[in-house]
Amino acid sequence: MSTPEVFTPEPLYVSPGAVAKVKSLIEEEGNPDLKLRVYVTGGGCSGFQYGFTFDEVTAEDDTIVDKEGVKVVVDALSFPYLAGANVDYSEGLQGSRFTVTNPNAATTCGCGASFSV
């Protein structure tokens, strides 16, 4: 009798484009200890907004996703808002930026930088 495969969803999905950009930025900085921190703060036109920063330090309660050697970190307060979201990097007419596609967001603003639940 075989055991059925259990699907455990990733806490956060990181696209190949985001991985490539983070690798590139870390190489430019010359600091392999940098991690991309994704967080949620109050504000923005829809109630919450996404933030991105590079960080060397992680807290005990951070969620860390390792994708091809790139570490993406989410703090414990932001995680419930970002669980199952997709972090991507896009370049277009509005410039280049990291973006979040969030299944937890009830509404988002036109630019996609803020959301409500």
Side-chain angles (χ1 to χ4, degrees), residues 27-56:
E27 285 176 15
E28 283 178 28
E29 288 296 317
N31 183 351
D33 294 330
L34 291 176
K35 301 153 192 66
L36 179 66
R37 182 172 291 280
V38 182
Y39 59 93
V40 172
T41 60
C45 52
S46 292
F48 294 101
Q49 60 188 359
Y50 303 111
F52 303 91
T53 189
F54 280 100
D55 203 342
E56 290 181 278

Side-chain angles (χ1 to χ4, degrees), residues 50-64:
Y50 303 111
F52 303 91
T53 189
F54 280 100
D55 203 342
E56 290 181 278
V57 180
T58 56
E60 187 176 305
D61 59 352
D62 282 342
T63 297
I64 302 171

Side-chain angles (χ1 to χ4, degrees), residues 44-50 97 107-116:
C45 52
S46 292
F48 294 101
Q49 60 188 359
Y50 303 111
R97 62 190 175 128
T107 59
T108 59
C109 69
C111 68
S114 67
F115 69 101
S116 66

Side-chain angles (χ1 to χ4, degrees), residues 23 42 74 104:
K23 280 183 179 179
V74 180
N104 305 305

